[in-house]
Amino acid sequence: MFGWIIPPPKPSKKSKGIFFQERQRKITSLKRMGFLKSKALEEAMLKIPREVFVPFNYRDHTYEELPFPLPGKKATISCPHSYPMFYEAIELSPGDRFLEVGTGSGYGAVLAAEIVGPEGLVTSIEIDHDTFLYAKKRISLFKYPNLFLVKGDGGKGYLLNSPYDKICLTAACNKIPPPLVNQLKEGGKLITPFEVYGKSQDLILLEKKADGKITKRSIEKVLYVPLQGEYGR
Ligand code: SAH
């Protein structure tokens, strides 16, 4: 898969205690590397056991910087650093109305629900039936009344819960879906992996200024699965 070497699947043997220690160490290293800055995100990452969202046969590698395949056609659980990389850039905050396109494992959605808190709302959309069921089952282990799951084409957004303060795509597009820009509030931020000429991908931060003007800038080189659906490639 991509440029990573994924270890062979093997049933998980690690205990909750070991996972907790590994989680603490991961957070320390993400802070040291400059990915993780905000207290709200740090607390959410410490609270949510990421291993629950990793398929059982890859679970012992939960806190390594590797993406793992999920049930579904083109779904992976992203590397641990990608969540702070996305959420710090859009400044995901308590009270935000947040839209995630590509629920995948469900880990990012639960982290976001923890961050936005009871005053905020997370809407997360997944296009693949099997991936959707996988995420739903795991998310149901947690109690987040502020987390709303949708099965469908996230490129079209979800008008009913719009407008959004922040939007995040976890799959790469080569054209930012216009409905998502329309459903973004003025002053809002959208982040997405963006494929340049079928080659490399850039992580793009789009801002809709208070006067409605759009600005875009590239943050990093990244590698994500392709966006599917009407605005896919
Ligand atoms: N953040 C997720 C990443 C999942 S990979 C995680 O770490 O678990 C990207 C996901 O986007 C896949 O599950 C894929 O099925 C989904 N996807 C791709 N195109 C989509 C679309 N148009 N609408 C909704 N989900 C989409």
Side-chain angles (χ1 to χ4, degrees), residues 87 90-99 112-113 115-123 146 161 163-167 185 187-189:
Y87 292 173
I90 56 171
E91 296 173 274
L92 190 64
S93 310
D96 276 349
R97 286 177 92 80
F98 174 63
L99 174 69
I115 295 166
V116 304
E119 306 297 316
L121 178 69
V122 173
T123 305
N146 61 343
N161 291 349
Y164 300 99
D165 296 288
K166 315 278 164 64
I167 298 179
K185 274 187 197 168
K189 293 186 171 133

Side-chain angles (χ1 to χ4, degrees), residues 49-203:
R50 175 176 154 83
E51 60 274 13
V52 169
F53 297 88
V54 176
F56 185 67
N57 284 341
Y58 294 110
R59 195 163 289 170
D60 283 355
H61 303 282
T62 293
Y63 295 98
E64 294 168 33
E65 288 297 334
L66 291 169
F68 293 105
L70 297 171
K73 279 195 262 344
K74 280 181 192 157
T76 59
I77 176 162
S78 311
C79 300
H81 80 274
S82 42
Y83 304 90
M85 186 167 74
F86 280 62
Y87 292 173
E88 295 283 14
I90 56 171
E91 296 173 274
L92 190 64
S93 310
D96 276 349
R97 286 177 92 80
F98 174 63
L99 174 69
E100 179 185 48
V101 176
T103 313
S105 62
Y107 173 67
V110 166
L111 262 191
E114 183 65 34
I115 295 166
V116 304
E119 306 297 316
L121 178 69
V122 173
T123 305
S124 184
I125 313 181
E126 174 56 53
I127 200 165
D128 188 288
H129 180 71
D130 294 335
T131 314
F132 178 78
L133 292 182
Y134 177 93
K136 194 173 167 202
K137 195 167 155 192
R138 274 140 192 92
I139 289 170
S140 69
L141 301 172
F142 300 83
K143 298 279 166 280
Y144 284 105
N146 61 343
L147 171 48
F148 187 75
L149 293 182
V150 180
K151 188 180 161 283
D153 183 355
K156 297 177 183 168
Y158 191 77
L159 202 53
L160 274 180
N161 291 349
S162 71
Y164 300 99
D165 296 288
K166 315 278 164 64
I167 298 179
C168 155
L169 287 83
T170 70
C173 57
N174 52 13
K175 177 177 194 285
I176 297 178
L180 298 183
V181 180
N182 291 338
Q183 291 174 30
L184 191 62
K185 274 187 197 168
E186 289 189 355
K189 293 186 171 133
L190 175 153
I191 193 161
T192 183
F194 190 88
E195 181 135 343
V196 191
Y197 307 122
K199 282 192 234 149
S200 61
Q201 289 178 11
D202 279 315
L203 187 62

